[in-house]
Amino acid sequence: MKPFNHIYISTILASLQLFILLANAQNATTAIPERFKQYTNSHQQEKLYVHTDKNFYLAGELLWFKIYNVDGARYQPVDLSKIAYVEILDRDNKPVMQAKIALIKGKGNGSFYLPVSVNSGNYKLRAYTNWMKNFSAAYYFEKPGNHCKHFKNIKSGSCRYNNQTIPGCLFP
């Protein structure tokens, strides 16, 4: 064979290999999202988010909350579980109060009455579904919060304004 034919044939073979390589690469990039979709459909992961009305509570108050149940991969509302379990945990992670909340279309709401018998301190609000118990507790929703039995009376200094004594002073 002539050297010209060798160059011509090797160029054709190299371009054919490059074409096959690029065609396979395009299949791989289009297959990744499809495989991810198949995985998320077969391994559904729920996540809960609990929205509370405030972070600090006094004895005798109500702790109001709303629960959102979303898909862990796409963060879209899901309607898988119908019940969420909500707990208030003490510093030893022992439940002080527990409730079952109905989830309708991935949403639910409820409240806890914080009685005077509960000691002051730091507490944790934890929420999970029955499906989430199949996985690690690290996937449960947890939110720290404070509870105080009562305020102490603070003696104020003597503040005067327009020749009147004011029981407390505020400074700008």
Side-chain angles (χ1 to χ4, degrees), residues 89-142:
L89 306 174
D90 63 9
R91 65 177 167 217
D92 299 325
N93 282 334
K94 293 186 178 162
V96 177
M97 291 181 228
Q98 297 176 318
K100 288 182 185 179
I101 304 299
L103 296 175
I104 300 169
K105 296 183 180 177
K107 295 179 185 173
N109 56 48
S111 65
F112 282 114
Y113 172 73
L114 303 174
V116 179
S117 62
V118 175
N119 292 328
S120 296
N122 293 325
Y123 289 87
K124 224 184 311 189
L125 182 73
R126 178 167 71 179
Y128 56 91
T129 64
N130 202 29
W131 176 258
M132 291 171 75
K133 291 196 288 186
N134 293 320
F135 307 99
S136 169
Y139 292 108
Y140 294 177
F141 175 85
E142 289 187 354

Side-chain angles (χ1 to χ4, degrees), residues 32-50:
I32 290 173
E34 185 60 34
R35 291 174 118 189
F36 180 73
K37 186 176 180 181
Q38 289 173 354
Y39 177 80
T40 56
N41 287 339
S42 64
H43 297 86
Q44 193 78 36
Q45 181 70 43
E46 287 182 316
K47 282 194 174 187
L48 289 181
Y49 177 74
V50 181

Side-chain angles (χ1 to χ4, degrees), residues 49 59 73 86 101 143 148-149 166:
Y49 177 74
V86 183
I101 304 299
K143 180 178 184 176
C148 183
K149 269 192 172 180
I166 299 173

